[in-house]
Amino acid sequence: MPQTVPRSGCSPPSASQGERAVPTSPADIHHLLRLLGAESPPEPMLHSPPTHIKPPPPYPEDNNYLERLYDFESYPTPSPSSDEGSIPTVALQPPSPYNSLQYSPVFIKEEPNRLSVPGFASPYPLSPSGSCVSYSSQNQYSSPVPQHEEYIDIEELLKENQILQESVQQSYITPKIEVEEPRDHILLRSALEDTSFQKRLNLRPIPLELGSVKMEESNGGAADEALVAPDIDRVLTMAIEQSKRDVDNTCTVLGISPDPMQWSTSDVKAWILFTVQHFNLPMVPAEYFAMDGASLIALTEDEFNQRAPQAGSTLYAQLEIWKAARHECWRGQWVEHEQPSPTPAPPSRTSPDDMSDDEDSESAGTNANQGGGKVKTGSTHIHLWQFLKELLASPHIHGSAIRWLDRSNGVFKIEDSVRVARLWGKRKNRPAMNYDKLSRSIRQYYKKGIMKKTERSQRLVYQFCHPYSL
DNA sequence: CATCAGGAAGCTC
DNA sequence: GAGCTTCCTGATG
């Protein structure tokens, strides 16, 4: 019997993570990473390339074709962020076959601790040590996929991760310091754990339940044995985080929303070209994807492949990541990731609590995607638990009204019931809202498995169930 | 007195 | 039908 992930005592039926199968072999991991958008690694590979990929039809290199290519100069070239001064930038150059066009370098904010796994989701080049590489405009373009590493050094990866986790645990021990847990992302995780790609890519299915060590017959030797599920879980978590960072960076560079549904035709163009450039894919004629984001989302993988025989799969896989991230955004997970660091209160105020209700309402209602996209929330179509998490995510503004007592266990306290109720009422256009009604709604969550009673009953203290506390 | 707990009915989407 | 909202009674600290 395979072991399974221990569940929280109140996992809601609809949100249970279940016992999904995840790929276990390096070959499958590699496929997973490719689906995240990384280009095929150079030979030799850990696995044979999928046989169904046909040789690309040669694109005409006449002037008419070149004119149909997207205009790279139209992209914004944001200057390096000032709040993360130590983070270097990477100026990406287009692939050499097309460098006869006039391109402007695109500056990407690179993060120093970017995961250094070849063929990984990150489209940004890394030096062999994992630090960033700057490409001057004179440099010849290098493939975004690191060429210097060809294998996943999973042991080293896990060692680093273990050190990281130990340091985090150390922080937990420190009294009175709240440590923000690394955000998990249920939907992205689901996308990553989806093994339907095994079927699509004619891979040998390798069932493994999350948290188990059950292995099918292994022909991969010691490398396979080394990949037990908890380790894969960590890799998945890192992959998720990486994907989100990549989405964030792309949003910043292109000035587009993280939600593909919001994309205009020109946004789609920008995204297609950006993705093609990053993954060193063959150029795609502009008219093949002349549509808005909603239409793009509606395309099937086959339709992507018809439009772009070589790039279609990667583009489709990337869009899947963005679509999953869009759901994360909706769930409010994106908010905390993109939220700018707390800014000082305006001079006219002595504390955030002096803010007017209107400003409270606004700050609690429009924080999604403040980091650079165009999407605004603030809709009345928000669940109470999401709203509470919004408030909890802004301790610099709402810390006096509601705050985490135990972030890791989802325990929070309403410090000012009147204020929280008033904010909720404003958001829902319910002027008569009061704490009595709000608390009644919270109590409804007990049945639904969204919240639970705390072990020791305390006034105004509630607890989210997993995974709602994430 | 404020809060907790939960039943019941109504409203909105 | 879901997700509240509103109103209610009774219990608790």
Side-chain angles (χ1 to χ4, degrees), chain A residues 451-466:
Chain A
M451 289 194 197
K452 60 185 174 184
K453 295 173 188 173
T454 52
E455 285 184 13
R456 203 162 52 92
S457 180
Q458 288 174 275
R459 287 197 153 202
L460 299 167
V461 175
Y462 298 92
Q463 183 172 11
F464 284 104
C465 292
H466 186 84

Side-chain angles (χ1 to χ4, degrees), chain A residues 111-122:
Chain A
E111 300 193 19
N113 59 347
R114 183 170 293 284
L115 188 62
S116 176
V117 178
F120 203 69
S122 170

Side-chain angles (χ1 to χ4, degrees), chain A residues 4-25:
Chain A
T4 55
V5 175
R7 293 184 185 181
S8 159
C10 64
S11 293
S14 59
S16 167
Q17 293 186 34
E19 297 165 6
R20 295 190 187 92
V22 297
T24 61
S25 71

Side-chain angles (χ1 to χ4, degrees), chain A residues 345-360:
Chain A
S348 59
R349 295 193 185 104
T350 54
S351 86
D353 291 336
D354 294 335
M355 299 168 91
S356 71
D357 284 349
D358 284 343
E359 285 167 320
D360 275 349

